Amino acid sequence: MRLFLNDTLSAATKALPEGPITLYVCGVTPYDTTHLGHAFTFVQFDALVRALRWLLPERQIRYVQNVTDIDDSILARARKLHTDWRALGDAQTSQYVQDMRDLGVAPPSQLVRATSAIATMQDLIVSLVERSAAYRVEGGSVFFRVRSFDRYGELSRLTREQMLDIAAKQDDADLDDPRKEDPLDFALWKGWSGQSDEPCWDSPWGRGRPGWHIECSALCRQYLGQQVTLHGGGADLVFPHHESEIAQSESALSVRPFAHIWAHVAMVRMDGEKMSKSLGNMVFVRDLLGSHSASALRLYLLKHHYRGVWEWSSRELDDAAAVTSRLEAAARAPDTSAADTREAFASALADDLNTPAAIDVLTRATGQTLRDLGGVLGLSL
Ligand SMILES: [Zn+2]
């Protein structure tokens, strides 16, 4: 069985390369509760890993997901709540882990914190400065020199104007920082502001803390090596986060490609807008699990293909719960599934993780076959 996935960088469907599989998925910034958009991303990657283990049982799989436990948004939130950034991060990470467990999401091989890789981040930044891909400025900050990487923009296919427009809307937007050679240059290292509640680490450039993008380049390097088979995350991370990761990792390590396949999960919308913390239009996983089973919620999420944008609807969640009840009844009935059921289910998953088609196959299965195949999607039937 060969598995094909869409690759954002080449905008083409690619076969999964041979050999051990390494998967890195950008995880949460632990400063608020897990909403349905997060759940869609992590349930889809959970389904992918479950599908890989079932379709390719002989292949070794290592799945690393990170927790962005240090960045501007978590520091701002901690300040607002008059709490310590580390205590806030710990509490929200525990809540996230619990939400995922309640949703039947299998834990990744390793859930790693950004602060566990500060030394690796500094090594990468040293290498970037040596190669003139980064420059140190007054105040102890170091910026990545975007013009040193001529493929910057290849992943997102954005024009320079579009990139500037999105960069201006980031939490830590600093386009007009006069120390930058180019407004698109981004901070690899941020010199310490001197504020006592701002965490800092010693570095070759003085005290400071890492920028967001370098965290994931370093975590990939530290936990999975110079290259990864698959790199994933929500589609809102394509630019600037993943675009910048490619530029950093390929410039610092001289290895290309950084990731063989880039997989991005579409955004969930609510009231016509992307569901997000910044807009405040959110439905929380923990509330939905109060009234629906984990299987019903997973079925609702997986009825949407991971690359298609969709809109939250409580009616459709209720419909998915009704389908789940019918599947549970069918799973207890004698197995009268057609002979090619498992093959049809496998083909659907191997075709760019087509979970809606796989669920269609489930609705025609019964008994043990249905229980087995439901288990591949993490449904307890
Ligand atoms: Zn990341």
Side-chain angles (χ1 to χ4, degrees), residues 24 26 66 216 241 245:
Y24 182 90
C26 288
N66 77 302
C216 287
H241 189 50
E245 270 190 63

Side-chain angles (χ1 to χ4, degrees), residues 270-286:
M270 183 175 175
D271 306 328
E273 301 242 43
K274 170 188 140 183
M275 189 178 288
S276 71
K277 284 172 190 169
S278 46
L279 293 172
N281 55 339
M282 295 174 285
V283 175
F284 297 107
V285 169
R286 132 167 49 140

Side-chain angles (χ1 to χ4, degrees), residues 138-154:
E138 204 181 302
S141 291
V142 182
F143 289 102
F144 185 86
R145 182 176 279 123
V146 165
R147 285 194 170 142
S148 71
F149 192 73
D150 59 11
R151 286 177 285 117
Y152 197 78
E154 215 171 63

Side-chain angles (χ1 to χ4, degrees), residues 34-44 100 103 105 285 297 301:
T34 318
H35 64 65
L36 196 70
H38 299 129
F40 185 53
T41 297
F42 301 120
V43 165
Q44 289 289 350
M100 289 300 110
L103 199 47
V105 172
V285 169
L297 189 46
L301 295 170

